[in-house]
PDB file of all heavy atoms in Angstrom:
ATOM      1  N   ASP T 269     -27.563 194.322  29.729  1.00  0.00           N
ATOM      2  CA  ASP T 269     -26.758 193.751  30.815  1.00  0.00           C
ATOM      3  C   ASP T 269     -26.383 194.750  31.899  1.00  0.00           C
ATOM      4  O   ASP T 269     -26.335 194.441  33.095  1.00  0.00           O
ATOM      5  CB  ASP T 269     -25.493 193.212  30.189  1.00  0.00           C
ATOM      6  CG  ASP T 269     -25.768 191.953  29.264  1.00  0.00           C
ATOM      7  OD1 ASP T 269     -26.301 190.973  29.699  1.00  0.00           O
ATOM      8  OD2 ASP T 269     -25.315 192.037  28.075  1.00  0.00           O
ATOM      9  N   ILE T 270     -26.165 195.991  31.476  1.00  0.00           N
ATOM     10  CA  ILE T 270     -25.807 197.035  32.438  1.00  0.00           C
ATOM     11  C   ILE T 270     -26.437 198.353  31.959  1.00  0.00           C
ATOM     12  O   ILE T 270     -26.522 198.721  30.787  1.00  0.00           O
ATOM     13  CB  ILE T 270     -24.150 197.223  32.372  1.00  0.00           C
ATOM     14  CG1 ILE T 270     -23.471 195.983  32.724  1.00  0.00           C
ATOM     15  CG2 ILE T 270     -23.792 198.390  33.315  1.00  0.00           C
ATOM     16  CD1 ILE T 270     -21.970 196.038  32.492  1.00  0.00           C
ATOM     17  N   PHE T 271     -26.888 199.164  32.919  1.00  0.00           N
ATOM     18  CA  PHE T 271     -27.505 200.424  32.761  1.00  0.00           C
ATOM     19  C   PHE T 271     -26.381 201.427  33.025  1.00  0.00           C
ATOM     20  O   PHE T 271     -25.859 201.534  34.122  1.00  0.00           O
ATOM     21  CB  PHE T 271     -28.684 200.585  33.676  1.00  0.00           C
ATOM     22  CG  PHE T 271     -29.445 201.893  33.358  1.00  0.00           C
ATOM     23  CD1 PHE T 271     -30.283 202.062  32.199  1.00  0.00           C
ATOM     24  CD2 PHE T 271     -29.370 203.019  34.110  1.00  0.00           C
ATOM     25  CE1 PHE T 271     -30.995 203.124  31.872  1.00  0.00           C
ATOM     26  CE2 PHE T 271     -30.094 204.149  33.865  1.00  0.00           C
ATOM     27  CZ  PHE T 271     -30.916 204.242  32.707  1.00  0.00           C
ATOM     28  N   VAL T 272     -26.127 202.314  32.026  1.00  0.00           N
ATOM     29  CA  VAL T 272     -25.092 203.301  32.125  1.00  0.00           C
ATOM     30  C   VAL T 272     -25.662 204.666  32.170  1.00  0.00           C
ATOM     31  O   VAL T 272     -26.354 205.007  31.154  1.00  0.00           O
ATOM     32  CB  VAL T 272     -24.037 203.170  30.989  1.00  0.00           C
ATOM     33  CG1 VAL T 272     -22.801 203.963  31.354  1.00  0.00           C
ATOM     34  CG2 VAL T 272     -23.697 201.672  30.854  1.00  0.00           C
ATOM     35  N   PHE T 273     -25.349 205.471  33.216  1.00  0.00           N
ATOM     36  CA  PHE T 273     -26.117 206.762  33.326  1.00  0.00           C
ATOM     37  C   PHE T 273     -25.192 207.790  33.995  1.00  0.00           C
ATOM     38  O   PHE T 273     -25.365 208.106  35.192  1.00  0.00           O
ATOM     39  CB  PHE T 273     -27.335 206.467  34.123  1.00  0.00           C
ATOM     40  CG  PHE T 273     -28.344 207.480  34.212  1.00  0.00           C
ATOM     41  CD1 PHE T 273     -29.237 207.796  33.122  1.00  0.00           C
ATOM     42  CD2 PHE T 273     -28.487 208.421  35.348  1.00  0.00           C
ATOM     43  CE1 PHE T 273     -30.225 208.772  33.185  1.00  0.00           C
ATOM     44  CE2 PHE T 273     -29.480 209.459  35.405  1.00  0.00           C
ATOM     45  CZ  PHE T 273     -30.266 209.638  34.341  1.00  0.00           C
ATOM     46  N   PRO T 274     -24.173 208.281  33.327  1.00  0.00           N
ATOM     47  CA  PRO T 274     -23.152 209.114  33.953  1.00  0.00           C
ATOM     48  C   PRO T 274     -23.657 210.526  34.015  1.00  0.00           C
ATOM     49  O   PRO T 274     -23.025 211.490  33.593  1.00  0.00           O
ATOM     50  CB  PRO T 274     -22.007 208.981  33.075  1.00  0.00           C
ATOM     51  CG  PRO T 274     -22.603 208.738  31.682  1.00  0.00           C
ATOM     52  CD  PRO T 274     -23.836 207.964  31.952  1.00  0.00           C
ATOM     53  N   THR T 275     -24.821 210.767  34.699  1.00  0.00           N
ATOM     54  CA  THR T 275     -25.441 212.072  34.690  1.00  0.00           C
ATOM     55  C   THR T 275     -24.651 213.180  35.360  1.00  0.00           C
ATOM     56  O   THR T 275     -23.949 212.877  36.285  1.00  0.00           O
ATOM     57  CB  THR T 275     -26.896 211.896  35.271  1.00  0.00           C
ATOM     58  OG1 THR T 275     -27.526 213.215  35.257  1.00  0.00           O
ATOM     59  CG2 THR T 275     -26.760 211.498  36.705  1.00  0.00           C
ATOM     60  N   GLU T 276     -24.796 214.398  34.882  1.00  0.00           N
ATOM     61  CA  GLU T 276     -24.057 215.524  35.477  1.00  0.00           C
ATOM     62  C   GLU T 276     -24.959 216.229  36.465  1.00  0.00           C
ATOM     63  O   GLU T 276     -24.401 217.014  37.330  1.00  0.00           O
ATOM     64  CB  GLU T 276     -23.568 216.453  34.449  1.00  0.00           C
ATOM     65  CG  GLU T 276     -22.566 215.694  33.462  1.00  0.00           C
ATOM     66  CD  GLU T 276     -22.174 216.628  32.324  1.00  0.00           C
ATOM     67  OE1 GLU T 276     -22.384 217.829  32.347  1.00  0.00           O
ATOM     68  OE2 GLU T 276     -21.352 216.165  31.486  1.00  0.00           O
ATOM     69  N   ALA T 277     -26.258 216.113  36.340  1.00  0.00           N
ATOM     70  CA  ALA T 277     -27.212 216.900  37.249  1.00  0.00           C
ATOM     71  C   ALA T 277     -28.474 216.134  37.315  1.00  0.00           C
ATOM     72  O   ALA T 277     -29.126 215.954  36.226  1.00  0.00           O
ATOM     73  CB  ALA T 277     -27.359 218.319  36.858  1.00  0.00           C
ATOM     74  N   ASP T 278     -28.893 215.730  38.434  1.00  0.00           N
ATOM     75  CA  ASP T 278     -30.206 215.066  38.597  1.00  0.00           C
ATOM     76  C   ASP T 278     -30.720 215.072  40.058  1.00  0.00           C
ATOM     77  O   ASP T 278     -29.982 215.514  40.927  1.00  0.00           O
ATOM     78  CB  ASP T 278     -29.998 213.554  38.136  1.00  0.00           C
ATOM     79  CG  ASP T 278     -30.697 213.228  36.894  1.00  0.00           C
ATOM     80  OD1 ASP T 278     -31.943 213.273  36.850  1.00  0.00           O
ATOM     81  OD2 ASP T 278     -29.961 212.870  35.905  1.00  0.00           O
ATOM     82  N   CYS T 279     -31.919 214.684  40.171  1.00  0.00           N
ATOM     83  CA  CYS T 279     -32.513 214.547  41.511  1.00  0.00           C
ATOM     84  C   CYS T 279     -32.613 213.065  41.905  1.00  0.00           C
ATOM     85  O   CYS T 279     -31.723 212.550  42.587  1.00  0.00           O
ATOM     86  CB  CYS T 279     -33.877 215.171  41.551  1.00  0.00           C
ATOM     87  SG  CYS T 279     -33.762 217.000  41.060  1.00  0.00           S
ATOM     88  N   LEU T 280     -33.657 212.426  41.563  1.00  0.00           N
ATOM     89  CA  LEU T 280     -33.915 211.076  41.812  1.00  0.00           C
ATOM     90  C   LEU T 280     -34.410 210.392  40.452  1.00  0.00           C
ATOM     91  O   LEU T 280     -35.676 210.280  40.348  1.00  0.00           O
ATOM     92  CB  LEU T 280     -34.846 210.762  42.920  1.00  0.00           C
ATOM     93  CG  LEU T 280     -34.938 209.270  43.500  1.00  0.00           C
ATOM     94  CD1 LEU T 280     -33.762 209.092  44.520  1.00  0.00           C
ATOM     95  CD2 LEU T 280     -36.258 208.983  44.226  1.00  0.00           C
ATOM     96  N   PRO T 281     -33.611 210.091  39.591  1.00  0.00           N
ATOM     97  CA  PRO T 281     -34.009 209.708  38.216  1.00  0.00           C
ATOM     98  C   PRO T 281     -34.873 208.551  38.121  1.00  0.00           C
ATOM     99  O   PRO T 281     -34.533 207.479  38.682  1.00  0.00           O
ATOM    100  CB  PRO T 281     -32.700 209.453  37.424  1.00  0.00           C
ATOM    101  CG  PRO T 281     -31.680 210.139  38.297  1.00  0.00           C
ATOM    102  CD  PRO T 281     -32.097 210.064  39.692  1.00  0.00           C
TER     103      PRO T 281
END
Side-chain angles (χ1 to χ4, degrees):
D269 294 302
I270 302 172
F271 187 74
V272 191
F273 193 78
T275 181
E276 298 179 8
D278 250 299
C279 300
L280 193 83

